Every structure is written in C-alpha cells, then in structure tokens.
Amino acid sequence: MTMNKRIYLNNDWFFSENWDNAEEFRKVRIPHTCRELPLHYCNEEDYQMVSGYGRMLEVPEEWKGSVLLLTFEGAAHQATVYVNGTEAGAHNCGYTAFTVDISEFVKYGEPNQIAVKLDSRESLDIPPFGFVIDYMTYGGIYRDVYLDVKPATYIKDVFIRTGKKSEDTRVIFSEIELGGVLPDKTQNMKFRQSIRKHKEETFALLGESSAFAVVTKFEQDGVLDWSPEQPHLYDVKTELLSDGAVIDETVTTIGFREAEFRKDGFYLNGRKYKICGLNRHQSYPYVGYAMPEAIQKHDADILKYELGCNAVRTSHYPQSQAFIDRCDEVGLLVFTELPGWQHIGGEAWKEQAIQNVKDMVLQYRNHPSIILWGVRINESVDDDAFYEKTNAAAHILDPTRQTGGVRCYKKGSFQEDVFTYNDFSHRGDNPGSEKKAKVTSDKNRAYLITEYNGHMYPTKAFDDEEHRLSHALRHANVLEDAAAEEDIAGTFGWCMFDYNTHKDFGSGDRVCYHGVMDMFRNPKLAAAVYASQQDETTVLEVSSTMDIGEHPGGNRGDIWIFTNADSVRMYKNGDFIKEYVPDRTRRGRYSHLAHPPILVDDYIGDTLEKGERMPHTQAEVISGLLNETARYGLYNLPKTTLAKAGGTLLQYKMDLSDMTALYTKYIGSWGGASTVYEFAAIRNGREVKRIAKGPVEHQHLEATADRVLLHEGKSYDVAAVRIRLTDEHSNTLPFANDPVMLEAEGAVELIGPSVVSLQGGMGGTYVRTVGEAGEGKLFLRTPTGLEETICFEVQMD
C-alpha cells in the first residue's frame, strides 16, 4: 500500500533541562524555548544546557514498506535523535532543517519513543560559536516537527528554475531527485507536472517526462512576473507515476522573475531597482526564537506594510520558512546568509559552515523572494581557501543566484559576485555613505550596503527628543546619499527592532537598542523615515511633541515632518500658519528620496500682519528673525542673524523687549501659555489625515492585537499585542514608563510576565492558545485605573 502524508508532531512532547535526569520532564508544545528569559538583564548562560525532548509515536502496521522521514525545521543547536533508544541521526546547525529516516528504527503496530538530545551550549565547535556574538542564540526545538510517510520510491527534492523564451512565454526547468528505492529502467515511471496560480483550485497540465530525466523542461504562456509591487506566485505540482498511478506528489511555490546585480546596481525583470530594506533577527521577547508560523509571517507584514521596505536581510542566519513564504507572498526581496558572526574556526568548524551553505541553498532555493546568497561569515576576515568552497557550494547547487559576503572593512579579497559591505561611516554630520570606488575591490562588479547606523547611535524609545530625532535623520541621511549614487544597488539598515544580546554588547541590560522599532515591534521615530517612502498608506509623523520644556533653553530646535503626503498644512491654535511642500529640487537635502522629510521653519505665518497690524515687509523680516531664534536659540544665533536683528531693530525703532514680547506670544517661551499645533496631510487636493500636538489633558491605554481570530492547527497560535499610553490626540506619551497589569482567561494564556513596564510610552505582550476552542480574553489595567480588554476567538482547525 502506497502512502503519502504529512503528520505534524508539535504536541505531546516532554522536556527536561537536564538530558541526564529523566525525572524532571514536563509537558511542552513546539515551538519551544529551553528557558524563558526576562526582557532586561537576561543572562546568556541561562539557555546554555544539554536538554532533552521526548514523545511517543504510534506507527501503524500499514506503514510497513513506506519511508518514514522525521523532520525538524529548527533545533538549537546540536541535535541527536534517538528512536527506541537507538541513535537515528544528528545535526550540527541550529538554523537549518534536518530530516532523519526512521524507517528501520521503528516498531510497526506499536508506540515508539522519540527522544532528542539538544545541546545549546555556546562552547560547541560549530558556527556561529567560537568567540563573542552580538545576539543571543537561545535553545530549544523552536520550529515545526513533522513526519512524512512516503512510498518506497518518492520525490526527494524538486528545484525549479525559470527562463524567458519571449515576452509572453516562460520556460520551466525542474531538477527532480528521487529518494528511497531508486527505480531501474525496466519500470514504467514518469513525472507529471501541472501549474496553477498560487492557492487556486485547478492545476493546468504542463506535461509528462520520463522519471529518469535529469531535468524536465516545459513552456507556459500568459504567466505574470513576480516583483515587490506585484508578487505573482504559482504552484507547480510534481507527481511521480508508476504504471499510470500517482504514488507521490509535491507542490512547489515559485515566481517568474529575473534578478541580477550589475556594476551599476540591481536589476529586477530587466528594470533597475533600488533596494531599501532592514536587517531582521528572528528573536522575540521572553521566548527567543520560539514563535509559531503566524508571528513569523507578521514580521514580514510589518516590514512591507508598516515600514514600507522592499527588502530584508536575514541577519545572520537562515530564518523560518514561514517568514520567507510570507516574503514571497507580500513581495520582499531577501538576502539570506549562512550562520556566523565574525569568528572563523578550525577545519571541522569550516566543514560544518560549508555544509550549512549547502543546506541553506537546498532548503530555500525555490523562493522567488531570495535574490542573494550570503556565503561569508558576517564581518569575518579574508580566508580565500575557505570562501572559495562556500562560493562554489552555492553556485553548484543554485547557478541562478549570485553570492555576497558581508564585510566591515574596505577592499580585501573579493571572491563573491557582489561586494556587500557594512558602511558605518555616517556620524550625523558627514555624508551618509561612502563612494563605491573607495570601498570595493572591483568597481566593475556590484556593490550593496548591508548595514548602517545600528551601534553607531543606539536609541531607546524613551531617549530625549533630540536624540530620537537625530536617530531618524541618520537613517534618512544614509537612504538619501545612497540613493544619490547610481552604482550602489541599495541598502539594508541596522536594524528592524531592538534585540537581546550578550554581555559584551548592548547598553548593559543585555539589549541592543539598534532598531527602528522596539522589541515588541512598536515604532520609534526612525520607523517613520522608512514608512513615509511608500504610497499605499498615508504617513504623517512630526518629530516633536512641541513642548518647549523638553529642550535646552526652551528652544525646540529643528522639527521635521516625515510624510508621504503631497503637502502638509500647519495650524497654531486653529490659525493657518503655512502649507509645507517637500523640497525635491537639487538644493533639497533629501531630494533623492521619493518623499523627502520636511523641515518646519515657520511658527508665525501672517499672524504678525493680522494680530499686530504690522506692515507686510516688516512682518516678513520680524517673522524670519523669530523663526531663526526658535530654531537656534537666543545664544546660538548665527552672526549673520544677529547682525540682521540689530539692523532691523534700528530700522523699525524696536528694542529687545519688543522682540521678546513677540517671541513669547507667537513662538512660546518659558512662562508663556501652551499652544496646540495641528498638521494636516493633503493628498490629491484633500485632507486625508490630521494630527495634533498640545498639552496632555487625558491619558488613554491602547492595546492592539495583530489578530483576534486564532487557530489551533498544527500547533498553538500566538497573537502579538502592542500597548501604548497616549494622550487625547492619540500621541504616544514618550516618558510614560508606567506598569501595566495583564491577565488572560479562557482559551488563551500569557507569554511572559503578568506585569510589564512601558518604555517610551510603549510595550507589549503575547497571548498563546491553550489547545481548546472558545473565547479568550486579555485584561490590561494600570495603577491609575486605565483599563482595556481584548477578546479573542480560538478555532480548532
């Protein structure tokens, strides 16, 4: 009897932190972290252990003659699998999947014991270990586990490449590998392939070929190309037929696209395309890497729809298939790389790294979103012999994609196809990026910036306003100056969100505050720089609360508007001041960005003429001086402004007290009345969004879940909850660090503590399903009596 089925084995596991002590096992579900950690001041020693996982597996009699393939998508970091006490297989990488054929180890018609010895110690002689690492590596079986029941001869792998015969016709090449008992040429075995649009019901036949063909080739008319703007996907079904009957099949999702890095940039489907992305770690508060499919996909949605990125780098290791699947679906270009951080070990370590490259390419090469393989340990020194092998491994297994090797120093040995460089040259007051010719070893090959900012300017959500603005502008500066260079293929900023790290890095609390978001994916001001570069959703963010007491001497300094609107109208206490239009001229600081940030340079408008009945010429000069003072402060005015002020006072017979009174009335100073400012975004001639900045009168507790309909399917489901304390205008209160008490009931439970402290007015939590259908609730309240409730519905799939 032939079999072809997949059974997820994420439930009913038992876990012990001590492999040698079977009496300490407790029941867990996969994904699982070997030790939950606090948000701050966690200790990397806590997850370093040799732990044990175990479960029973019923193997029916009718499975005899089938091939039983047990797959672990991710187990950190050295896994040994035992079946009924006998070692069945092992794997030495925590970031790639591995499969163990357990057919010869099981007892049919009986329950079988599956056990996993999992070593998450950082003393292991495998990548990325060997020296310090700027990220936590965690431990546990943190991705899906499943069993494939296959016929004696089965489809082991399908690698699909696409080509372009004409404008309307595409060519599909498939390399199909069989596993199990390989057939001989006397057997009547064929491959049959069909195609459909992704997730549609009906497949259309492509054709049939001999099962002994090395590569199949079929043509298809009328397909649409994949791109970030239009990520068209297709499913190709490959069937193995024996005497006309289907004995095995697999479905591969593909996209038709041509991606190439050239010396003058990146080209997608023949069109030059600027990459604008961020680096992403796969970690989360409390549970490290252990989050299910929906939460992994949510990060891709945030990158695409909230941050407006068109690309992501999976720093510094291959990440969840669910995350990459979602990148395929929403249209995110992906640069993925082998595990590692700066350190290169000995020969055994290098051999494992080469194997990691092979596994990475084999497991991810059908994803249309992936455009570049990283085959060099991040920021490592040159090692020509080693990197000749990693490059060769990638090119042999996937001749369709180019390779890159991320480094943090200029020139050097350039063995990859693309010179990928971490450009940390920007300090805030110098060019945002270096010229390609000053960095790369070969100006006739492609160049890509893979990190910038990050540790150069750590920024917390609760830092002062000037610091948060400087952080945002540094990101804008790099994006602008890299966009101005035609031969820079694009940029990946460091990084998407803050993350836990080792004691050797971070701000002393084991957190690297390098993200444009915090760990719960709440946006900092810098997030608006990226979000404002897309056109789908209106973005309007002002860099200041407009509170003068936040600034030295009561001077607000530069205030910027980050928006994708056509223009922004500014009002003060209801009076129109000015309509701002982005400066796209060559004189503009950000003229190469799709939507340049706008500097606020007028707090007065024509109010001196209306309120003081001042002549137009005089009002124009006085307004200019007052606005200059608002920007620089009285004691930091440029000499030209001081000279102009002296002449103006003489010309119009005014003294310093007159100017002070006008400044206090129209700009605001210490001891003056507070002011409400409003900003209205205008698109296509109409107002589409308005925000207000004024003194806080009321506080509101806001809690938002990414989803309220949860599914118990192949494992538990999780909802991400973002929490904010806001004013009556829905502005985040940046210095609210209040505690929030959490309580879950019904069909959901909390992940992490029941009391969290906001940081910069923001925080978060996660709720997890508990294996039953029904309603769940999350209650939130503050010591001041603010309350919020989120209701969830859990369905059993």
Side-chain angles (χ1 to χ4, degrees), residues 33-311:
T33 185
C34 65
R35 178 78 66 84
E36 288 194 11
L37 301 175
L39 196 65
H40 298 279
Y41 299 100
C42 56
N43 191 334
E44 60 270 18
E45 298 291 334
D46 288 347
Y47 59 72
Q48 297 186 51
M49 61 185 73
V50 181
S51 60
Y53 289 83
R55 63 159 291 152
M56 301 305 294
L57 175 66
E58 292 283 346
V59 180
E61 285 279 357
E62 60 261 31
W63 288 3
K64 278 187 177 180
S66 300
V67 179
L68 309 183
L69 302 174
L70 181 62
T71 296
F72 295 81
E73 289 281 353
H77 286 272
Q78 185 179 75
T80 308
V81 179
Y82 298 86
V83 179
N84 297 322
T86 301
E87 182 177 333
H91 190 63
N92 292 313
C93 178
Y95 298 100
T96 54
F98 68 100
T99 298
V100 179
D101 185 344
I102 63 171
S103 309
E104 65 179 274
F105 300 98
V106 299
K107 299 174 183 177
Y108 293 90
E110 299 181 32
N112 293 263
Q113 184 188 67
I114 307 296
V116 181
K117 179 182 180 181
L118 192 58
D119 193 339
S120 55
R121 294 174 297 180
E122 295 182 349
S123 57
L124 293 168
D125 187 27
I126 58 174
F129 307 119
F131 197 56
V132 296
I133 306 171
D134 180 24
Y135 53 91
M136 294 294 200
T137 59
Y138 303 103
I141 301 177
Y142 68 92
R143 294 181 190 156
D144 287 339
V145 181
Y146 50 84
L147 179 73
D148 285 317
V149 184
K150 292 286 190 178
T153 303
Y154 64 93
I155 300 171
K156 183 178 181 181
D157 184 56
V158 179
F159 174 36
I160 297 179
R161 297 180 285 114
T162 63
K164 189 174 183 179
K165 181 178 180 180
S166 68
E167 199 60 40
D168 298 320
T169 304
R170 300 295 185 269
V171 185
I172 300 170
F173 303 92
S174 300
E175 297 179 23
I176 307 171
E177 182 184 357
L178 294 177
V181 179
L182 299 182
D184 60 47
K185 294 194 175 183
T186 64
Q187 295 175 272
N188 182 21
M189 283 196 169
K190 291 183 177 181
F191 293 130
R192 182 168 66 200
Q193 289 187 294
S194 308
I195 191 170
R196 70 181 181 186
K197 288 185 177 179
H198 186 47
K199 295 185 179 179
E200 286 191 354
E201 290 294 324
T202 306
F203 283 91
L205 180 66
L206 286 169
E208 294 185 353
S209 64
S210 167
F212 304 100
V214 177
V215 178
T216 66
K217 176 184 176 182
F218 298 110
E219 295 181 1
Q220 181 69 20
D221 295 334
V223 296
L224 300 171
D225 287 339
W226 184 96
S227 69
E229 291 73 30
Q230 294 182 311
H232 297 290
L233 294 174
Y234 293 85
D235 298 326
V236 174
K237 180 167 64 173
T238 303
E239 297 169 297
L240 177 62
L241 287 71
S242 178
D243 293 325
V246 177
I247 62 171
D248 193 21
E249 70 175 50
T250 185
V251 176
T252 308
T253 299
I254 66 167
F256 293 88
R257 60 110 183 96
E258 296 176 333
E260 182 184 10
F261 289 87
R262 304 176 190 171
K263 68 177 182 179
D264 65 332
F266 174 67
Y267 286 77
L268 184 66
N269 301 324
R271 179 172 66 92
K272 195 169 184 181
Y273 198 94
K274 204 77 167 185
I275 292 169
C276 179
L278 289 163
N279 285 266
R280 179 213 185 225
H281 274 302
Q282 64 177 11
S283 56
Y284 296 86
Y286 314 127
V287 295
Y289 295 159
M291 277 292 187
E293 179 178 302
I295 293 296
Q296 301 290 340
K297 290 185 174 184
H298 184 48
D299 267 6
D301 287 345
I302 291 172
L303 282 160
K304 176 75 174 186
Y305 299 119
E306 293 187 30
L307 293 171
C309 293
N310 62 26

Side-chain angles (χ1 to χ4, degrees), residues 659-670:
M659 290 293 285
T660 301
L662 290 172
Y663 183 89
T664 301
K665 183 176 181 180
Y666 291 102
I667 301 293
S669 68
W670 197 255

Side-chain angles (χ1 to χ4, degrees), residues 511-620:
V511 178
C512 271
Y513 294 96
H514 297 174
V516 301
M517 293 180 145
D518 68 14
M519 273 199 276
F520 292 101
R521 283 58 168 173
N522 292 300
K524 303 175 190 176
L525 181 63
V529 174
Y530 295 88
S532 62
Q533 299 311 303
Q534 51 80 39
D535 292 305
E536 297 301 314
T537 305
T538 300
V539 174
L540 178 60
E541 191 69 44
V542 177
S543 68
S544 177
T545 63
M546 312 300 281
D547 293 299
I548 60 173
E550 162 66 354
H551 308 276
N555 297 113
R556 297 187 186 94
D558 285 350
I559 293 174
W560 288 84
I561 302 170
F562 300 99
T563 185
N564 54 6
D566 301 328
S567 63
V568 175
R569 294 171 186 163
M570 177 177 167
Y571 301 84
K572 176 182 173 183
N573 291 334
D575 294 327
F576 175 75
I577 299 297
K578 181 177 180 177
E579 183 160 3
Y580 289 95
V581 178
D583 185 357
R584 293 186 173 88
T585 67
R586 290 190 175 184
R587 297 193 309 263
R589 172 64 183 95
Y590 300 105
S591 61
H592 292 89
L593 295 184
H595 300 286
I598 301 169
L599 178 65
V600 174
D601 60 6
D602 191 353
Y603 298 89
I604 297 173
D606 60 1
T607 54
L608 290 183
E609 294 180 61
K610 292 179 178 179
E612 304 296 326
R613 300 188 180 278
M614 194 177 286
H616 175 75
T617 302
Q618 180 183 2
E620 195 173 59

Side-chain angles (χ1 to χ4, degrees), residues 420-724:
T420 46
Y421 175 65
N422 293 345
D423 184 348
F424 292 117
S425 61
H426 185 51
R427 300 183 301 275
D429 58 357
N430 64 321
S433 61
E434 296 202 71
K435 302 287 185 181
K436 172 185 174 180
K438 290 186 175 182
V439 177
T440 180
S441 306
D442 184 350
K443 64 181 181 180
N444 291 315
R445 286 194 278 169
Y447 175 58
L448 175 67
I449 296 174
T450 42
E451 293 182 31
Y452 56 88
N453 287 341
H455 70 279
M456 299 298 293
Y457 205 73
T459 300
K460 305 171 184 65
F462 51 89
D463 278 332
D464 63 61
E465 199 169 276
E466 279 85 0
H467 190 102
R468 286 179 277 128
L469 173 59
S470 180
H471 181 231
L473 292 178
R474 286 166 184 250
H475 279 269
N477 294 342
V478 176
L479 290 177
E480 163 64 20
D481 292 350
E485 300 295 326
E486 287 294 323
D487 55 3
I488 296 179
T491 57
F492 289 96
W494 192 266
C495 56
M496 180 183 174
F497 53 82
D498 299 338
Y499 55 96
N500 287 122
T501 190
H502 286 74
K503 61 186 177 182
D504 318 279
F505 306 93
S507 294
D509 60 350
R510 301 293 209 281
V511 178
C512 271
Y513 294 96
H514 297 174
V516 301
M517 293 180 145
D518 68 14
M519 273 199 276
F520 292 101
R521 283 58 168 173
N522 292 300
K524 303 175 190 176
L525 181 63
V529 174
Y530 295 88
S532 62
Q533 299 311 303
Q534 51 80 39
D535 292 305
E536 297 301 314
T537 305
T538 300
V539 174
L540 178 60
E541 191 69 44
V542 177
S543 68
S544 177
T545 63
M546 312 300 281
D547 293 299
I548 60 173
E550 162 66 354
H551 308 276
N555 297 113
R556 297 187 186 94
D558 285 350
I559 293 174
W560 288 84
I561 302 170
F562 300 99
T563 185
N564 54 6
D566 301 328
S567 63
V568 175
R569 294 171 186 163
M570 177 177 167
Y571 301 84
K572 176 182 173 183
N573 291 334
D575 294 327
F576 175 75
I577 299 297
K578 181 177 180 177
E579 183 160 3
Y580 289 95
V581 178
D583 185 357
R584 293 186 173 88
T585 67
R586 290 190 175 184
R587 297 193 309 263
R589 172 64 183 95
Y590 300 105
S591 61
H592 292 89
L593 295 184
H595 300 286
I598 301 169
L599 178 65
V600 174
D601 60 6
D602 191 353
Y603 298 89
I604 297 173
D606 60 1
T607 54
L608 290 183
E609 294 180 61
K610 292 179 178 179
E612 304 296 326
R613 300 188 180 278
M614 194 177 286
H616 175 75
T617 302
Q618 180 183 2
E620 195 173 59
V621 174
I622 298 298
S623 294
L625 290 171
L626 294 175
N627 283 319
E628 286 279 291
T629 307
R631 182 179 182 187
Y632 295 107
L634 182 61
Y635 302 107
N636 294 304
L637 284 170
K639 291 181 179 180
T640 54
T641 303
L642 287 171
K644 185 177 181 180
T648 299
L649 292 178
L650 289 173
Q651 180 180 355
Y652 294 109
K653 297 182 174 57
M654 300 173 66
D655 58 29
L656 190 58
S657 63
D658 295 324
M659 290 293 285
T660 301
L662 290 172
Y663 183 89
T664 301
K665 183 176 181 180
Y666 291 102
I667 301 293
S669 68
W670 197 255
S674 60
T675 305
V676 175
Y677 291 89
E678 292 179 280
F679 299 85
I682 309 300
R683 300 182 80 175
N684 298 319
R686 64 185 186 89
E687 181 178 319
V688 292
K689 187 173 183 177
R690 182 179 286 242
I691 60 175
K693 303 283 186 173
V696 178
E697 302 290 346
H698 305 286
Q699 297 182 36
H700 300 270
L701 180 63
E702 178 185 292
T704 306
D706 70 308
R707 294 164 301 121
V708 293
L709 178 60
L710 305 179
H711 297 270
E712 274 277 342
K714 57 188 179 183
S715 183
Y716 60 86
D717 200 359
V718 170
V721 179
R722 289 186 268 192
I723 306 169
R724 291 198 307 149

